[in-house]
Amino acid sequence: MNGALTEEYTAAIREYLAGSGEAALRLAYESGRRALVEGLGVLELVAAHQAPLVQALRTETTEKGKERVLMQALSCLAEGLSPFEMVLRGTREGNERLQRSLSSLQSVEEQLRSQNEDLTIAHRSVEKERRRYQALFDFAPDGYVVTGLEGAIREANAAAAALLRTSQEMLPGQSLHEFVVEADRSEFRERLHSLHLRTVDRWEDWQIHIQPRDGSPIPVALTVVAERAVPAVAGLRWLIRDVTARRRLEKERARSLVGQARAEAARRFEFLAEASSLLVNSFDVEANLISVARLTVSFLEGWCFVGIIEPDGTFRQLEVAHADPALTDLATALRRHCLLRTRTNEANATQLLGPQVINPLTGAWLDGIADGPDHAELLRQINGSSAMVLPLRIHDRLMGVMTLISSGAARGYRPSDRLFGGDLARCCALALENARLYRDVVAERDKAEQANRAKDEFVAILAHELRNPLTPILGWTQALKGNALILRDPVLRAGVSAMERNAKMLARLAGDCVDLARISERKIRVEHKPTDLNAIILASVETVREMAISRGLRLMLDLGSEPLQVLGDTMRLEQVVMNLLINAVKYTEQDGLISVRSISSGKEAEIEVQDTGIGIDPAFLDLIFQPFRQGTASWLTSQSGLGLGLTITRQIVEMHGGRVWAESPGLGLGSTFHVRLPLTTLTHEESRVDIPIGPESQGRGIQILLVEDSEDILFLMKAELEELGYAVTTARDGRTGIEAAKTHRPDVIISDIKMPIMDGYELIRTIRATPELRTLSAIALTGFGTRGSSERALAAGFDACVSKPAEREELLAVIRELTERDSSAPTGTSFSLASHSAEERLGDES
Ligand code: ADP
């Protein structure tokens, strides 16, 4: 390459040495520099001088010439070498720079190497971490899945694959949706959507059921975290945890909790049941509450304070119960004070709306419920840890407060105890309310009974006052009826029979009133002797026949041929049939028909009284048997009386073991009354007890002393008794009665109670106190039909009581019983009917 340049250089030197001047030297210099640049070595450059120098020296013959040539050759060489020198210098400098660069390169390399080493270490640890993560990922017990935003699986670990019952390799690309049970899918989608929208960053412990490829659904808890990348969400990381075992454990725990709760609930239930039964233990609600307080502390331990609000609004402490026998003194001291007094007054009662739990107890709270510093000090000694205040309320009314204070090791009250406390409070409040209602009801009942007694008394007095004057009227009309003078005069005869009819009607009304008084005091008593119902019906029909005919009614009688034998009281049964017949006559208009039937059906006899009268509203069919109740329509007819007949009828029938009822198709369609009585097979003779054969023989040989201030009654009774064969002496007051008794020594004294000078009570007391009269049998004629007067008479010493004016049969029966017993009793033995026979038979009505 540099061959040409070298030649060029050699030629230029030759020229110069040949004396061509400066231009040749410049050319030599130029070509020598270029040659050097091109890579000509120094030795080659020096060698390039050799041939022209040798040639020039040969040419020069002189030494001087030779010297000049040499000098020229040398300066040429120097010129030629100067660029070389420069290059050499530059090279040296470059070398130095190179050297420097090299050393800096070496340090960079050094750095790089160390960085490389660091990187290698870092890489190794990253790799280790990655492997660790991978291991974790792969072998973690829970399923890890990485999905896209729509749930497409990118990565899944072995546990996830196992959970989803598929192979790990198969999972990438599948959608997680497909593994969610149908029921949870829409929620799944919604939650994914919210992650997508970035409204939430993660869902934790999100419980769903997954549906593996095969097998049944598995409950899982999902935790999904959105991987954030700006500006969107990059993907989702899922942790899927099988919670089957957790669920089972939870269930088992829940079951065991339920079991414990049940046991506790059962214990509490038992306690509440026991408390409830204690609360109804007696009518004394305060005693019951005290028992409950004691039961409460035995159940809950600690202390129980019970207080009640009095009707005047003041609060009274009932009981301070405690469980620890060692604390009796403290309890005694606490009983002297009243807990919560100020809180229960009207202004503060609103603080006690429902159960309150105070836990822990503070000194301030104790100060608030104490009635003063001493009380507060005592309360502190309880050393209570918590309390429950149970207001005993019904609706808006505070009726008391129960305060429970736990102490010692007993577990404190918790807010959850309020429910149980509320139940206990409700039981106690109900008991208090019931007691209050009971008190009210009893007071009302007493008032009603008092009013009823006043009514009965009024009815009895009225009946008495009616019957007293009626007795002589009836007696005299009967006497006058048989009088020859009156019999001859048709006007007088009609007048007397009208008098008799009306007096009888009045007597019946008065009799009903007396019967009612007896019924309400349960004093009616019936005889049970075999009696023929048909005979009773016949006699009754005969009695009303005249009345029916006078009202233009037809009477039809259909009685069986056989007697209908029942065990009963003839007079009372006659009263039953008469009541029904008289009603039929009263409530049937002219031209109507009254049919009376009797049949025997099975073991019963039935009487049926049917009429074509005004009928009964079906709504009243049963009411008409109640006292003073009338069918509205019939009342308007003014036929109705006091509304007592059917009440008495039902009572008598029931006393015979039978029943009576009414039927009617409706108003205006007539009525039918049925009476059913049990039949008997006993005959009259079989049951017959000593009954005197003839009326006159009944009283033969028996002395009666009649003490009565009413002359009319005295006259009538004397006449009636004498007609029956009794020997009768009379007296007008108690004192003369005693005189007469002493004089005549009667077998029986019959005495009025209300008399001038000496009343009946004093009379009998004197007789019982007089040795020679003490054993006399004595019958009181009491007036007012009340239990009080007959009881008083019997207590005073009478053997029996008969209400005034005395029913003839009733009085005779009593006399008979007294005299028969008297004669069968050992001589000198007194006996009393007060305790049984007379009282039972007649009731002790006056
Ligand atoms: P009283 O007839 O005195 O009112 P009762 O006790 O005998 O009292 O009868 C009660 C009510 O029953 C009567 O007021 C009447 O309304 C109704 N009653 C009784 N018997 C009949 C009957 N045969 N027909 C229609 N109503 C009757």
Side-chain angles (χ1 to χ4, degrees), residues 583 586-587 611 624 629-631 634 640-643 645-646 671 673:
N583 276 351
K586 273 199 308 190
Y587 299 112
D611 63 57
I624 54 173
R629 294 297 291 259
Q630 290 131 336
S634 63
S640 48
L642 291 176
L646 289 180
S671 323
F673 284 78

Side-chain angles (χ1 to χ4, degrees), residues 692-770:
I693 299 134
E696 323 73 48
S697 62
Q698 185 171 325
R700 189 157 299 152
I702 295 174
Q703 282 256 6
I704 291 184
L705 169 60
L706 207 52
V707 191
E708 164 68 66
D709 65 328
S710 161
E711 202 156 339
D712 290 341
I713 294 175
L714 201 65
F715 178 80
L716 264 178
M717 284 183 80
K718 184 173 186 294
E720 272 180 358
L721 288 169
E722 280 176 348
E723 200 186 328
L724 292 168
Y726 293 101
V728 182
T729 45
T730 60
R732 302 285 301 279
D733 62 71
R735 193 177 296 156
T736 46
I738 289 169
E739 294 311 319
K742 281 181 182 161
T743 318
H744 298 286
R745 297 293 172 91
D747 300 296
V748 181
I749 296 178
I750 301 173
S751 171
D752 189 15
I753 292 290
K754 242 171 73 182
M755 289 179 297
I757 306 174
M758 182 191 278
D759 67 12
Y761 299 127
E762 213 181 322
L763 164 98
I764 194 66
R765 275 196 288 269
T766 314
I767 285 178
R768 295 295 178 230
T770 310

Side-chain angles (χ1 to χ4, degrees), residues 509 512 579-580 583-588 609 611 613-616 624-626 628-635 639-649 670-673:
L509 282 178
D512 281 356
N579 274 347
L580 298 182
N583 276 351
V585 171
K586 273 199 308 190
Y587 299 112
T588 305
V609 179
D611 63 57
I614 61 168
I616 302 165
I624 54 173
F625 289 93
Q626 292 178 11
F628 305 109
R629 294 297 291 259
Q630 290 131 336
T632 42
S634 63
W635 191 81
Q639 299 296 332
S640 48
L642 291 176
L644 296 178
L646 289 180
T647 310
I648 294 162
T649 299
S671 323
T672 310
F673 284 78

Side-chain angles (χ1 to χ4, degrees), residues 347 404 474 498 520 531 787 837:
L404 309 173
L474 273 172
S520 52
T531 176
R787 176 180 281 276
S837 57

Side-chain angles (χ1 to χ4, degrees), residues 386-505:
S386 66
M388 182 150 64
V389 179
L390 304 172
L392 311 183
R393 266 185 186 280
I394 287 285
H395 309 305
D396 288 343
R397 205 144 35 80
L398 182 67
M399 290 182 293
V401 184
M402 182 179 266
T403 308
L404 309 173
I405 299 185
S406 72
S407 65
R411 83 161 176 78
Y413 292 109
R414 294 187 288 237
S416 57
D417 292 325
R418 278 197 300 240
L419 205 68
F420 161 70
D423 285 345
L424 175 62
R426 237 183 323 281
C427 289
C428 297
L430 269 175
L432 281 169
E433 176 69 351
N434 284 345
R436 188 185 67 80
L437 290 176
Y438 180 74
R439 269 199 310 273
D440 290 356
V441 167
V442 167
E444 284 302 316
R445 192 201 59 195
D446 286 351
K447 253 196 264 172
E449 275 181 4
Q450 215 174 344
N452 207 32
R453 268 199 303 277
K455 183 205 76 190
D456 287 349
E457 217 161 288
F458 169 75
V459 169
I461 291 169
L462 185 72
H464 168 77
E465 295 301 331
L466 278 174
R467 286 174 83 184
N468 252 357
L470 272 175
T471 310
I473 296 175
L474 273 172
W476 276 113
T477 46
Q478 250 162 17
L480 290 174
K481 246 167 70 176
N483 182 282
L485 266 175
I486 289 173
L487 280 173
R488 275 201 296 277
D489 186 330
V491 179
L492 282 179
R493 208 172 60 226
V496 169
S497 71
M499 265 167 64
E500 189 191 19
R501 207 171 44 249
N502 285 290
K504 275 187 176 165
M505 212 169 85

